[in-house]
């Protein structure tokens, strides 16, 4: 097992586009939930799941920084009890700009966290209000200055394009302000309207003025070009970094490797089995308190499914999928299993073969979903 994801499902404000497992912070059993994280880790260890050799831990949500300094300190103490934190290659947390105080930064640093993934989304205050964010355009600048003062160097910000009413000029301004912060890592995602979100309900009522596909494609091209011009290399469809600052935890996902999912609604991939935890917090806590794994669903991944995942996850990365590694993992050549599909995609200009690898072309990056579908049974 290479990584561990820990889910903190609490938010002081629910963003209009978010479909992750989350609840409003107020009146929730936050302290008891943190203890449940420890109980789940204890049960996993009793079942023989080893946390030795972990490369990464990632705190996600929800909003981990919605916790108080004391709550963060307790959570990190629990993680340190079960994980050899000093030996990790990367310990990340997601963070909101208006919640990340200098005190919390010091607690995170003292607890072993060495990478911040900050949800900025836009540097346009009016757009931020429209999408349900509570920070303003100045908060990220302050937070990043504080984080540097607290000793953080490895930082990333998330940006979203294709937002309701967003113009090319607004996206250009956001990119300029983001790059002016001179961070080693940036992520840029197109808005996806998911069911059970505020935006989904508005869209169904015809009240969500989204940019068209052409404008969204232009925004994506701007993202790639600006990042390249500033030396941040695209290593995955939506992620850009200085060399050596790629997100190791996310690479574990894209390399189709194993990781534990801990917390309410978390997903994991351990011993050839993908699983998802119970989402409702109280039910999750009841299971862990009883000394049981709080698993909602289990699925033993078949060899065919594992090969499919190897392709559509690996092709998301700039380096693509290795022919030799595929054969080593599955005992079959990539040519034998997917040769026809690859040849057709090469002819269509969507993928290219280079040495030992097959990877997306620039056009293929724009039409990634179309490519990935060719490897699904």
């Amino acid at each position: 097992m290479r990584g561990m994801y820990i889910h903190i499902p609490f938010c002081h404000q629910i963003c209009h586009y978010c479909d992750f497992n989350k609840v409003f912070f107020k009146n929730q059993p936050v302290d008891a939930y943190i203890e449940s994280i420890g109980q789940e880790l204890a049960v996993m260890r009793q079942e023989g799941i080893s946390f030795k050799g972990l490369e990464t831990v990632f705190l996600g949500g929800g909003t981990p920084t919605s916790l108080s300094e004391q709550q963060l300190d307790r959570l990190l103490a629990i993680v340190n009890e079960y994980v050899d934190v000093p030996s990790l290659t990367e310990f990340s947390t997601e963070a909101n700009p208006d919640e990340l105080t200098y005190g919390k930064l010091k607690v995170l640093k003292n607890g072993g966290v060495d990478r911040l993934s900050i949800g900025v989304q836009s540097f346009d205050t009016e757009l931020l209000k429209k999408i349900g964010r509570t920070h303003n355009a100045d908060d990220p600048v302050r937070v990043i200055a504080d984080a540097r003062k607290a000793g953080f160097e490895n930082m990333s910000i998330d940006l979203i394009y294709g937002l309701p009413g967003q113009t090319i000029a607004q996206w250009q301004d956001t990119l300029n302000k983001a790059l002016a912060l001179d961070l080693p890592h940036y992520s840029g995602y197109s808005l996806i309207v998911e069911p059970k979100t505020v935006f989904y309900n508005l869209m169904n009522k015809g009240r969500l003025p989204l940019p068209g596909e052409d404008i969204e494609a232009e925004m994506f091209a701007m993202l790639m070009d600006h990042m390249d011009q500033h030396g941040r290399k695209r290593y995955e469809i939506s992620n850009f970094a200085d060399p050596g600052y790629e997100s190791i935890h996310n690479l574990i996902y894209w390399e189709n490797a194993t990781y534990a999912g801990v917390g309410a609604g978390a997903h994991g991939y351990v011993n050839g089995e993908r699983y998802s935890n119970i989402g409702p917090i109280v039910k999750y806590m009841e299971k862990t308190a009883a000394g049981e794994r709080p698993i909602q669903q289990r699925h033993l991944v078949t060899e065919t499914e594992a090969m499919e995942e190897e392709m559509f996850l690996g092709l998301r990365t700039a380096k693509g999928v290795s022919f030799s590694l595929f054969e080593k993992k599955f005992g079959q050549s990539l040519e034998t299993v997917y040769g026809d599909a690859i040849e057709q995609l090469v002819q269509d200009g969507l993928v290219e073969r280079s040495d030992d690898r097959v990877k997306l072309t620039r056009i293929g990056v724009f039409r990634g979903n179309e490519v990935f579908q060719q490897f699904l049974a």
Side-chain angles (χ1 to χ4, degrees):
M1 186 162 60
R2 292 180 56 192
M4 177 185 292
Y5 172 82
I6 300 175
H7 191 71
I8 308 300
F10 308 110
C11 296
H12 291 296
Q13 169 70 19
I14 305 296
C15 301
H16 297 345
Y17 52 83
C18 180
D19 72 330
F20 295 129
N21 189 44
K22 78 283 181 185
V23 293
F24 280 110
F25 188 96
K26 192 174 181 180
N27 299 323
Q28 293 293 333
V30 180
D31 294 316
Y33 177 82
I34 292 170
E35 299 305 319
S36 292
I37 296 290
Q39 291 168 345
E40 183 179 359
L41 289 170
V43 175
M44 292 175 77
R45 191 160 68 179
Q46 287 166 9
E47 290 188 359
I49 296 174
S50 173
F51 305 131
K52 290 182 180 179
L54 276 182
E55 297 173 40
T56 67
V57 172
F58 191 101
L59 307 178
T63 317
T65 52
S66 66
L67 303 181
S68 68
E69 290 180 28
Q70 293 76 17
Q71 289 165 339
L72 276 173
D73 190 58
R74 177 58 186 149
L75 173 64
L76 293 170
I78 289 171
V79 175
N80 276 268
E81 183 181 344
Y82 289 91
V83 176
D84 183 11
V85 169
S87 71
L88 293 174
T89 310
E90 179 184 280
F91 190 170
S92 303
T93 186
E94 291 179 345
N96 274 353
D98 54 333
E99 296 174 344
L100 198 51
T101 63
Y102 188 73
K104 290 182 184 180
L105 284 162
K106 293 301 289 183
V107 169
L108 290 167
K109 191 68 177 173
N110 292 338
V113 175
D114 60 9
R115 183 177 185 274
L116 302 175
S117 179
I118 304 169
V120 174
Q121 319 314 359
S122 174
F123 282 90
D124 186 291
T125 298
E126 288 306 309
L127 264 181
L128 289 168
K129 289 178 183 176
K130 286 181 182 178
I131 64 177
R133 302 293 286 176
T134 53
H135 69 274
N136 61 43
D138 297 325
D139 285 330
V141 179
R142 171 192 58 79
V143 161
I144 286 162
D146 283 348
R148 285 175 170 147
K149 197 184 304 180
F152 286 95
E153 296 178 6
N154 195 354
M155 288 183 278
S156 175
I157 58 175
D158 288 354
L159 304 171
I160 301 180
Y161 58 93
L163 295 170
Q166 188 179 33
T167 65
I168 292 290
Q170 287 173 318
W171 180 234
Q172 173 78 67
D173 182 64
T174 279
L175 288 174
N176 291 342
K177 288 176 177 174
L179 286 161
L181 293 170
D182 196 24
L183 299 176
H185 190 286
Y186 295 88
S187 299
Y189 303 101
S190 65
L191 176 70
I192 299 175
V193 180
E194 302 282 7
K196 300 180 181 178
T197 63
V198 172
F199 276 172
Y200 186 79
N201 294 333
L202 289 173
M203 185 176 69
N204 285 342
K205 295 175 182 176
R207 293 168 50 199
L208 194 69
L210 296 174
E213 287 184 7
D214 290 345
I215 292 177
E216 188 175 305
E218 186 177 348
M219 289 177 171
F220 183 39
M222 287 171 62
L223 170 68
M224 289 197 292
D225 292 342
H226 277 62
M227 290 297 162
D228 186 59
Q229 291 161 12
H230 287 78
R232 274 65 176 190
K233 300 302 179 186
R234 183 184 64 81
Y235 69 98
E236 190 270 345
I237 286 179
S238 303
N239 288 270
F240 308 81
D242 283 335
Y245 283 91
E246 299 84 358
S247 169
I248 299 168
H249 185 82
N250 285 338
L251 282 169
I252 288 172
Y253 298 151
W254 299 319
E255 290 170 5
N256 202 20
T258 53
Y259 60 93
V262 180
H267 293 243
Y269 184 25
V270 178
N271 296 330
E273 178 184 77
R274 292 199 180 274
Y275 66 89
S276 59
N277 278 351
I278 294 168
I281 292 168
V282 172
K283 291 184 178 179
Y284 164 83
M285 292 169 58
E286 287 173 354
K287 283 286 188 181
T288 59
E292 300 176 32
R293 290 281 299 282
I295 292 179
Q296 178 84 45
Q297 290 183 321
R298 298 177 184 266
H299 176 69
L300 195 61
V301 177
T302 67
E303 184 177 60
T304 298
E305 289 168 337
M307 289 191 289
E308 291 173 352
E309 291 169 353
E310 188 80 8
M311 296 305 295
F312 69 72
L313 291 170
L315 283 171
R316 291 191 63 89
T317 66
K319 67 181 182 180
V321 176
S322 163
F323 282 82
S324 58
L325 183 59
F326 185 95
E327 186 164 359
K328 183 179 178 181
K329 288 180 80 168
F330 300 109
Q332 300 181 67
S333 74
L334 191 51
E335 290 279 12
T336 301
V337 183
Y338 293 120
D340 291 345
I342 291 171
E343 181 59 34
Q344 184 60 56
L345 290 167
V346 168
Q347 290 180 21
D348 293 340
L350 300 180
V351 304
E352 60 184 356
R353 295 184 61 162
S354 175
D355 299 325
D356 179 50
R357 295 184 173 276
V358 57
K359 55 188 178 182
L360 296 177
T361 62
R362 182 177 171 92
I363 297 172
V365 171
F366 282 86
R367 296 165 60 184
N369 288 338
E370 184 179 330
V371 174
F372 306 149
Q373 287 172 5
Q374 304 309 307
F375 300 99
L376 300 176

